[in-house]
Structure formats: structure tokens, C-alpha cells
Amino acid sequence: MHLDIKEITTVSLVLFAIIDILGSVPVILDIKSKVGHVDAKYATLVSGFIMILFLFGGKQILKIIGIDVASFSLAGSIVIFLVGLEMTLNRDIFKSGNSTVKSSSVVPIAFPMIAGAGTLTTLLSLRSEYEVITIMIGILINLIIIYAVIRFIPKIEQILGDTGINILRKVFGVILLSISIKLFSKNLALLFHF
């Protein structure tokens, strides 16, 4: 077994860019304002479990269900679009009436924000280029960062204040809409071979 620091760094940075946990701060703050608390440990463990499961059996899982990667990514882009719309327009699309801390930590935080279509398809791509141990270390490094960001959300909230959070919420809502449209159009082209 050979560990290459350069490869581990590359994989970690690719995953960090795709997961974009810092960009998800306004979404996490928004969910926290609805349910009162986001369970950092639970969200991190569930997203880690989804990523590792997909790393080892992603293509097979999708094949068993009868879904191709492009369709899976399209579905993820629609969920991201709805979250972005909710943030931009200040309207509740995902009703939070029966949401618990644990369920809100899973949807939409663990999936599709952290371990979403982009992350999972990236893992499939990385698998063809790098050793599994290298990707596992990259996932672990990102899970530590994810846990730290979600864990210190109250401090981030304190620093930003209500006005700062509202501004970030709108800005990142538009960014999420843009990402979802890009994901949607790219995967629609793949699906229909444009």
C-alpha cells in the first residue's frame, strides 16, 4: 500500500470544492432557524456513510435500482434548485412542521447538500483515477471539516448577525440556483445525448 501525499491533497481539495461546506453555511443556518438545532455528529456520520457506500457500490446500487448516473444527478439538481428557491424567495417549500433535528440533519444537509449528486458522481470519477485508500483519506479529511463547520454554526451565526445571515441566505440562494441549473443542463445533455 502506497500513500502519496500529493494525491491525497488533490482528492481532498476536489471533494472540498464539490461539497462546498462553507457555501452551505447559510442553508444550515436556515434549517437551524426552523428546527432549532442541527446535529453535527449525526449529519457528518450519515454523509460519511453515504459517501463510503457510494464509493464502493455506487454504480451497482444505481444499476440495481435501474437509474443511470445522469438521472440521479438530475434528481439531485432539482432538490438543490428547490432549496435555492426557498432561500432566495423566503418561502417554505420543504414544510418543517414534523421535522426533527435528526431528519433535518439528514435531508437536506447530509443528502443532497454534502453527499449529493455532485459529490457522489465525483467519487465515481475519482475511483477510476486513484486508489481507494487515497479517496477514503480524502473523505475523512472532508468529514472533519464538515463536522467543525456544522458544530460551530452558532458561533458563525453570532459573528454574522441577522442582517449578515439574511444577505448570505439570498446570495447563496442564487448561487445554489445557478449550481442546480448547471447540474441540470449538463446531465440533461448526458441523458439525451445532445
Side-chain angles (χ1 to χ4, degrees):
M1 185 175 66
H2 171 258
L3 292 177
D4 186 331
I5 298 298
K6 188 173 177 264
E7 285 189 354
I8 290 168
T9 306
T10 303
V11 168
S12 300
L13 288 173
V14 166
L15 286 172
F16 182 76
I18 292 292
I19 293 167
D20 190 23
I21 190 64
L22 297 175
S24 300
V25 165
V27 184
I28 299 165
L29 285 170
D30 185 50
I31 292 159
K32 183 184 170 287
S33 73
K34 290 177 187 172
V35 295
H37 172 71
V38 173
D39 191 330
K41 197 193 309 180
Y42 193 70
T44 306
L45 287 173
V46 171
S47 53
F49 174 75
I50 294 168
M51 284 190 264
I52 290 164
L53 182 73
F54 214 80
L55 175 66
F56 288 103
K59 280 186 177 167
Q60 291 84 348
I61 292 167
L62 292 180
K63 198 181 275 185
I64 289 166
I65 304 169
I67 300 170
D68 56 89
V69 177
S71 300
F72 181 75
S73 298
L74 273 173
S77 72
I78 291 167
V79 175
I80 294 167
F81 181 83
L82 292 172
V83 171
L85 207 59
E86 192 177 64
M87 289 171 68
T88 310
L89 302 176
N90 226 11
R91 293 272 178 267
D92 282 344
I93 294 168
F94 295 106
K95 297 293 174 200
S96 53
N98 300 324
S99 279
T100 62
V101 169
K102 290 220 185 291
S103 68
S104 297
S105 299
V106 174
V107 178
I109 296 175
F111 181 84
M113 275 174 34
I114 297 169
T119 307
L120 300 180
T121 48
T122 301
L123 284 171
L124 291 180
S125 305
L126 290 171
R127 181 86 196 256
S128 61
E129 288 179 55
Y130 299 96
E131 286 183 45
V132 170
I133 188 72
T134 303
I135 302 168
M136 289 286 288
I137 293 167
I139 289 171
L140 188 65
I141 290 165
N142 275 280
L143 289 175
I144 292 164
I145 297 165
I146 288 162
Y147 176 78
V149 170
I150 299 173
R151 175 78 178 79
F152 295 107
I153 277 290
K155 284 264 184 276
I156 296 167
E157 189 177 23
Q158 211 173 20
I159 293 164
L160 293 174
D162 285 345
T163 310
I165 290 165
N166 277 333
I167 292 165
L168 266 184
R169 192 169 183 263
K170 302 266 188 251
V171 169
F172 279 99
V174 173
I175 291 169
L176 277 184
L177 288 170
S178 307
I179 290 168
S180 69
I181 290 165
K182 184 181 173 187
L183 252 176
F184 187 86
S185 57
K186 182 184 169 191
N187 288 289
L188 196 67
L190 282 172
L191 198 64
F192 294 107
H193 312 289
F194 292 151

